[in-house]
Amino acid sequence: MKPNTLYYGDCLEVMREWPDACVDLIYLDPPFNSNADYNIIYGREKMNGGAVKRKDLAQITAFTDTWEWDEKTAERIDAIRKSHAHRARAAVMALDTFYRGGAGMLTYLVYMADRIDEMHRILKHSGSLYLHCDPTASHYLKMILDAIFGARNFKNEIVWAYRTGGASKKQFARKHDIILFYGKTPAHAFNPQDEKSYTKSKSRKPGTVNYGGGEAEFYEDEDGVYNLVNMRDVWNIPYIGSTDKERLGYPTQKPLALLDRIVKASSNEGDVVLDPFCGCGTTIEAAMNLKRDFAGIDISMYALDVIQKERLRDIKFSIDGVPTDMRSAKHMAKHQPFALERWAVHRIPGFVTNNKQTGDGGVDGWAGLLNPPPDEDGICIAQVKGGKPTADAIRAFAGKINSGEASAGVFITMQPWDTPTVRQCVAEAGKLKQGANTYNRLVMWSIAEYFSAVKPDLPPLAHPRTGRPLQEDLMVSHSR
């Protein structure tokens, strides 16, 4: 485990390579099992005689928060049943009985149980864990956490309250998340935090009051005074608004103030703070600001790109698990083919990945054309072939363009691929006029060309979050 490093991959596999007791604080904001796809949406209104004909929206999935029962889940539950050393075994068996083996919630909880068990192992004796969730699964996750950490090490159910738009006429407005706080042992590190408390009283005058061995100021107004008191477990921290400077546009982004509070309370300068689902890196920034070391893990290369190219663009750090040359790319293609697909798609600015690993129809990623031709949706698709490509594969991919399913596409191979069949498919896909320039609708590109700094000759693409022109190259340099 290398501090001040981002890791690309499944946090379970990454953490299994780390030694025991190497992390001081873990904050995780995992998928909530909300049965929702968090999408980056861009659109274009098509005009016909000055009137809106229709509005086409392309929804590009940033990550999928949908859980379905499958054979792998059944196999994992059976493995936990046979593993009497697994700390969450009793809880998983109880939940398996409750759900009668088949509910999506159980799939989610088994996924989380394996990862939380590893987090417990890598936490130091004085370490703490904060799990951010919502009421959809918080009560079930507490069962898992109680089983792994022990109920006596449960410290707080923190309520993060915020105000956002939208409400229901059939229930109270849902305006809070839950953060479950556990120490690994009763000797966990904790730095008490203060907050102002308003008391209605006119008897005091402005001055000082003894507090916690020191002095604190309090103030008087018409109705009362503010005193410093121990922080409560209800945190009123504003949600990030759509126009806030802090917003990066990443789905489920959390405010920096929230992570600052957690990092201050349960770590000290020089400690290692881990976020195993680091997303756009709010925890990473909070740790750096407070002079802590960090480690972040995410299975989405898009997330790591956002951290490197937007949140921490002026900071140098390493990314582990990302190919740095053809040898490491071939190794990933052999041992982690889906990881290679995600990585390769994100080498092209404007593209995001299709999280479906099987049954994806040969589409590994999408982007949107900045200026779609009339009566076309303007979707640009990508397919990655880490192994030896076939004539049937390129014909099928070209067929999606020829049929109008996509306006353009890029076919990515390990090495440049140029055969009579390829040239025929490129020619049959035709050309795309964009301003004064003309582009092939079917573009061939390779990972070898990426390492030679050769970019695919694609039409202008829209920024995947805003739909506006791409203002900067989002490619992560392989030299960093």
Side-chain angles (χ1 to χ4, degrees), residues 203-249:
S203 60
R204 289 182 173 174
K205 297 182 180 295
T208 60
V209 63
N210 289 329
Y211 177 78
E215 290 188 341
E217 293 183 359
F218 64 89
Y219 304 94
E220 183 179 31
D221 58 24
E222 292 182 357
D223 298 314
V225 296
Y226 285 100
N227 292 305
L228 288 178
V229 299
N230 280 322
M231 188 172 288
R232 303 165 302 157
D233 56 8
V234 177
W235 296 354
N236 294 299
I237 297 176
Y239 207 84
I240 302 175
S242 59
T243 60
D244 287 353
K245 292 182 179 180
E246 185 180 337
R247 175 165 289 282
L248 296 175

Side-chain angles (χ1 to χ4, degrees), residues 377 399-407:
D377 287 339
K400 296 180 182 298
I401 300 171
N402 297 336
S403 67
E405 185 176 334
S407 295

Side-chain angles (χ1 to χ4, degrees), residues 84-96:
H84 291 267
H86 198 298
R87 295 181 183 86
R89 179 180 180 275
V92 170
M93 295 302 97
L95 289 166
D96 184 35

Side-chain angles (χ1 to χ4, degrees), residues 2-238:
K2 297 174 288 188
N4 300 322
T5 299
L6 297 181
Y7 292 82
Y8 172 50
D10 185 332
C11 63
L12 179 63
E13 301 303 321
V14 174
M15 291 186 296
R16 280 176 172 170
E17 299 296 320
W18 294 357
D20 295 348
C22 61
V23 172
D24 296 280
L25 169 64
I26 297 175
Y27 166 85
L28 62 152
D29 180 15
F32 287 176
N33 188 36
S34 60
N35 293 317
D37 286 338
Y38 294 94
N39 297 305
I40 303 164
I41 302 176
Y42 60 87
R44 172 179 179 268
E45 291 186 351
K46 295 191 174 181
M47 311 300 290
N48 182 13
V52 176
K53 182 178 180 181
R54 73 172 191 257
K55 187 173 184 179
D56 291 309
L57 292 178
Q59 296 192 353
I60 309 300
T61 305
F63 59 90
T64 301
D65 181 10
T66 303
W67 305 88
E68 296 179 355
W69 180 268
D70 56 21
E71 292 183 3
K72 289 184 179 179
T73 303
E75 292 172 1
R76 188 60 204 136
I77 289 177
D78 188 56
I80 292 175
R81 180 180 289 108
K82 296 174 181 177
S83 177
H84 291 267
H86 198 298
R87 295 181 183 86
R89 179 180 180 275
V92 170
M93 295 302 97
L95 289 166
D96 184 35
T97 300
F98 179 74
Y99 280 112
R100 301 184 182 277
M105 178 63 80
L106 183 58
T107 302
Y108 171 73
L109 293 172
V110 171
Y111 169 92
M112 290 303 303
D114 280 341
R115 286 152 182 79
I116 294 171
D117 195 42
E118 280 298 312
M119 293 174 206
H120 182 275
R121 181 186 66 81
I122 65 174
L123 263 180
K124 293 181 181 178
H125 185 76
S126 58
S128 299
L129 177 142
Y130 289 75
L131 190 154
H132 193 138
C133 51
D134 71 3
T136 305
S138 61
H139 302 83
Y140 305 108
L141 285 168
K142 190 176 185 303
M143 288 180 62
I144 299 293
L145 287 162
D146 280 351
I148 294 174
F149 279 79
R152 68 179 183 141
N153 289 318
F154 169 66
K155 301 302 172 184
N156 287 102
E157 179 184 71
I158 299 166
V159 176
W160 170 37
Y162 45 79
R163 295 177 180 175
T164 58
S168 171
K169 294 182 179 179
K170 296 184 178 180
Q171 63 197 31
F172 297 109
R174 296 174 177 174
K175 304 297 177 185
H176 81 279
D177 285 358
I178 296 297
I179 302 173
L180 300 172
F181 167 31
Y182 283 76
K184 183 170 183 177
T185 70
H188 70 285
F190 185 72
N191 304 312
Q193 302 295 297
D194 302 331
E195 65 179 357
K196 290 181 179 179
S197 177
Y198 185 75
T199 303
K200 288 188 176 182
S201 172
K202 295 183 180 179
S203 60
R204 289 182 173 174
K205 297 182 180 295
T208 60
V209 63
N210 289 329
Y211 177 78
E215 290 188 341
E217 293 183 359
F218 64 89
Y219 304 94
E220 183 179 31
D221 58 24
E222 292 182 357
D223 298 314
V225 296
Y226 285 100
N227 292 305
L228 288 178
V229 299
N230 280 322
M231 188 172 288
R232 303 165 302 157
D233 56 8
V234 177
W235 296 354
N236 294 299
I237 297 176

